[in-house]
Amino acid sequence: MTDQTARASAIDPLRLMLALFVVALHGGFPDAAPALVKQALFNGVYRLAVPVFALISGYFFLAAMRRGQGWRYLRRIGAVYLLWMVIYLPFYGPGIGSWDHALRLVVFGYFQLWFLPGLLVSAVLVMVLRVPRVLAGAAAAMALTGLVLQYLVLSGQAQIQLDHYRNGLFAVFPYFAMGVLMAHGWGAGLGWRVWPLAGLALAAVAAESLIWYRIADGGWGVDMMASLLLATPLIFLAAQQVSGGWDGKQIAGMAAFVYFVHVLIMHVATGFGLTGDLKALVVMALCLGLSGFLATGGRRPVLAFFT
């Protein structure tokens, strides 16, 4: 899942920060915040994580395709997916009630792992479509379809299983394709203007989350937003303009590990009786500490194995 080239822009620190956003989302942090603040975070700003992850993956996938390594990328993602599905088997395995249920788990993934089959679907579609304008049209169509399906569900007009609209086709592919298009040079001419535009887009994400709050009558579960289609590439472009002395490959591995392992650590924390904001903070600290430990010294091959 992590790119093997050295990089010094802020896209990888951004990825690590967003991985912690995912932990905060699943841990309900901050639990004590007012309802509208929680909405703007849980169904707004925190939801930037998966789109940005997908865009970054697509951005680096184009180079892999040009090197003739597209299928190698698919095999690697498939191997990481299988590994983590096996790791989490003790948690979801006892709840499998039928072969149909087992098949759905394999196709859509357990909990946060749904992102990996989403990457596989996205990469295959990019390899098939290839032509940038065709890719852009397909991505726009899938994003719009996902938004419509989510609206029908959250407004109470339809009952659709979550995996049938929050999946790789509708929630990952549009951003993965966007990353490929940006690797082709789309959006490169914005320059310094990307910063105020990114700020406005972030404000739009928070504002749209409140609109969804009204649509869902106070309910949760907003995975797709129109404003994310603007905020995600703008934030990525802004991060590209910042550089530092960090090791991007190392931080990318840490971010992926935090994303994959945090649900496991949440289960452990629950077993120790931790709840609420304390549980979320402990899980974040443990995820960061463990990923940092694996990223240093001679343990980096272990981190690479898991990511």
Side-chain angles (χ1 to χ4, degrees):
M1 181 176 170
T2 55
D3 182 71
Q4 297 304 304
T5 57
R7 18 182 217 269
S9 77
I11 60 171
D12 293 305
L14 171 66
R15 189 152 42 173
L16 181 58
M17 180 184 74
L18 291 175
L20 293 174
F21 279 10
V22 174
V23 182
L25 172 63
H26 292 156
F29 179 84
D31 184 55
L36 292 182
V37 173
K38 291 169 74 171
Q39 174 70 13
L41 290 174
F42 299 166
N43 285 327
V45 176
Y46 289 171
R47 300 293 177 168
L48 279 162
V50 165
V52 172
F53 295 160
L55 188 150
I56 293 172
S57 296
Y59 183 82
F60 289 114
F61 180 67
L62 180 62
M65 272 208 317
R66 286 172 169 169
R67 295 193 302 266
Q69 297 178 344
W71 290 106
R72 179 181 177 186
Y73 175 92
L74 292 176
R75 289 194 299 270
R76 176 58 185 161
I77 296 299
V80 172
Y81 178 53
L82 178 61
L83 171 65
W84 283 101
M85 284 293 284
V86 170
I87 290 173
Y88 280 104
L89 183 60
F91 298 101
Y92 67 81
I96 297 177
S98 65
W99 285 107
D100 178 66
H101 186 195
L103 180 61
R104 288 202 309 272
L105 277 168
V106 171
V107 171
F108 295 112
Y110 167 73
F111 213 106
Q112 84 283 20
L113 300 183
W114 74 272
F115 178 66
L116 290 174
L119 281 184
L120 290 173
V121 168
S122 301
V124 169
L125 285 173
V126 167
M127 292 172 69
V128 170
L129 298 176
R130 289 185 177 267
V131 179
R133 291 189 181 277
V134 175
L135 199 56
M142 293 302 99
L144 178 60
T145 301
L147 282 168
V148 170
L149 292 176
Q150 179 179 266
Y151 173 79
L152 292 174
V153 171
L154 295 186
S155 64
Q157 300 180 53
Q159 291 186 346
I160 305 173
Q161 188 172 319
L162 177 63
D163 289 334
H164 293 167
Y165 67 92
R166 195 279 323 256
N167 54 39
L169 195 59
F170 302 131
V172 177
F173 169 66
Y175 298 98
F176 190 93
M178 195 180 293
V180 173
L181 295 174
M182 294 178 77
H184 275 292
W186 290 32
L190 286 175
W192 65 268
R193 291 168 294 180
V194 72
W195 290 96
L197 289 173
L200 289 172
L202 272 176
V205 169
E208 187 182 347
S209 73
L210 301 182
I211 296 173
W212 283 105
Y213 186 78
R214 294 292 298 273
I215 291 171
D217 196 22
W220 305 95
V222 179
D223 291 284
M224 291 162 285
M225 303 168 67
S227 55
L228 288 176
L229 295 167
L230 296 174
T232 300
L234 290 169
I235 290 170
F236 172 79
L237 288 171
Q240 272 193 315
Q241 294 184 10
V242 178
S243 61
W246 47 73
D247 183 338
K249 177 182 172 184
Q250 178 188 51
I251 297 174
M254 290 175 61
F257 188 79
V258 168
Y259 180 84
F260 294 141
V261 82
H262 79 275
V263 175
L264 176 60
I265 295 179
M266 286 177 70
H267 281 297
V268 174
T270 300
F272 278 93
L274 296 180
T275 60
D277 287 347
L278 176 61
K279 173 183 170 181
L281 290 171
V282 168
V283 171
M284 281 188 251
L286 288 174
C287 286
L288 269 179
L290 183 56
S291 65
F293 174 75
L294 293 176
T296 55
R299 295 174 292 274
R300 291 183 67 166
V302 178
L303 181 67
F305 174 77
F306 284 106
T307 60

